[in-house]
């Protein structure tokens, strides 16, 4: 479990084939300062398990399914990534509840620079669009953000916007994002639960049936 408050910006230092997946080595001194084998670290929003580590790096295996639904399939040595260690029970929940289970990817459509703030518009897959609401929470590349605008439900190509403060632009990879970049998206877990409950509420109740 994570909060979406990024602890440091790390860097991919190696990517090696591992079966039908990859083993990635990530430099992140703060992330590994108290790491142990088996710990969870979110890498740009993807929860990965530490399989090896040193003073300033850790290695993790990324399975084929994860590569298929996240942007990690596009990484290589030198790629900057957002890092967050798993939530400790005594830590303040500064962002929102983040699982590190990416729902899918979006594409940066446009970046609107301002004097201090920066607004970023991101495409939204149709199946995720009902889960994203104005002023709700969303995780982009592991960063907990508040949605500042959403496209109308009638618009064929769905999108959302987030407004990034200087701190976010400086300490995360989002300040480096440009139009065309792929980003990992994780929607609010509460919204996903509500969607699932509503799906069952539409199933006809056959409680009056049965054998005679």
């Amino acid at each position: 479990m994570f909060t979406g408050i990024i602890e440091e910006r790390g860097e991919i230092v190696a990517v090696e084939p591992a079966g039908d997946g990859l083993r990635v080595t990530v430099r992140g001194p703060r992330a590994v300062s108290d790491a142990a084998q088996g710990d969870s670290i979110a890498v740009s929003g993807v929860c990965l398990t530490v399989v090896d580590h040193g003073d300033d790096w850790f290695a993790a295996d990324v399975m084929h399914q994860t590569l298929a639904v996240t942007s990690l399939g596009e990484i290589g040595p030198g790629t900057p990534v957002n890092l967050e260690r798993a939530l400790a029970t005594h830590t303040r929940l500064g962002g929102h509840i983040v699982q590190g289970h990416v729902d899918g990817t979006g594409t940066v459509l446009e970046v609107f620079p301002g004097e201090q703030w920066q607004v970023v518009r991101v495409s939204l897959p149709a199946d995720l669009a009902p889960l994203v609401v104005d002023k709700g929470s969303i995780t982009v590349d592991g960063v907990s953000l508040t949605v500042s605008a959403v496209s109308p439900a009638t618009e064929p190509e769905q999108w959302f916007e987030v407004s990034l403060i200087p701190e976010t632009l400086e300490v995360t990879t989002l300040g480096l994002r440009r139009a065309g970049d792929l980003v990992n998206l994780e929607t609010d877990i509460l919204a996903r639960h509500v969607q699932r409950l509503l799906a069952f509420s539409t199933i006809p109740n056959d409680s009056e049936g049965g054998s005679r």
Side-chain angles (χ1 to χ4, degrees):
M1 195 72 69
F2 305 90
T3 69
I5 304 299
I6 302 304
E7 296 186 282
E8 71 175 324
R9 192 161 70 189
E11 181 183 344
I12 302 295
V13 295
V15 178
E16 302 171 310
D20 65 347
L22 296 174
R23 173 163 292 193
V24 298
T25 303
V26 186
R27 181 179 292 113
R30 186 170 185 179
V32 298
S33 61
D34 60 353
Q37 187 166 344
D39 282 355
S40 295
I41 298 177
V43 178
S44 288
V46 183
C47 178
L48 298 180
T49 301
V50 175
V51 297
D52 194 10
H53 65 93
D55 291 339
D56 67 347
W57 61 271
F58 69 94
D61 292 326
V62 186
M63 67 179 68
H64 175 75
Q65 181 184 10
T66 302
L67 296 172
V69 300
T70 74
S71 65
L72 293 189
E74 298 187 346
I75 61 173
T79 300
V81 289
N82 296 319
L83 301 178
E84 181 190 358
R85 290 170 291 183
L87 173 67
T89 56
H90 64 275
T91 302
R92 290 184 178 90
L93 187 61
H96 70 285
I97 296 174
V98 176
Q99 293 182 296
H101 302 160
V102 172
D103 294 314
T105 58
T107 301
V108 176
L109 298 175
E110 199 165 354
V111 176
F112 305 96
E115 291 185 6
Q116 289 186 306
W117 296 68
Q118 184 168 286
V119 176
V120 179
R121 178 175 292 188
V122 182
S123 68
L124 193 56
D127 60 324
L128 300 184
L131 305 175
V132 180
V133 298
D134 188 22
K135 304 302 185 292
S137 296
I138 192 165
T139 308
V140 180
D141 276 351
V143 184
S144 173
L145 298 169
T146 299
V147 177
S148 56
V150 292
S151 55
T154 55
E155 197 161 319
E157 300 295 331
Q158 291 289 298
W159 54 263
F160 70 94
E161 290 180 354
V162 289
S163 299
L164 307 180
I165 62 174
E167 174 74 5
T168 303
L169 295 171
E170 181 179 350
V171 303
T172 77
T173 61
L174 296 186
L176 306 174
R177 293 302 186 187
R178 298 293 181 265
D181 287 351
L182 203 64
V183 292
N184 294 320
L185 304 177
E186 181 182 336
T187 57
D188 190 347
I189 186 175
L190 297 179
R192 299 202 301 271
H193 275 297
V194 170
Q195 184 184 59
R196 179 69 169 166
L197 288 169
L198 290 175
F200 277 98
S201 70
T202 62
I203 299 176
N205 188 344
D206 196 26
S207 60
E208 296 181 0
S211 59
R212 297 193 178 188

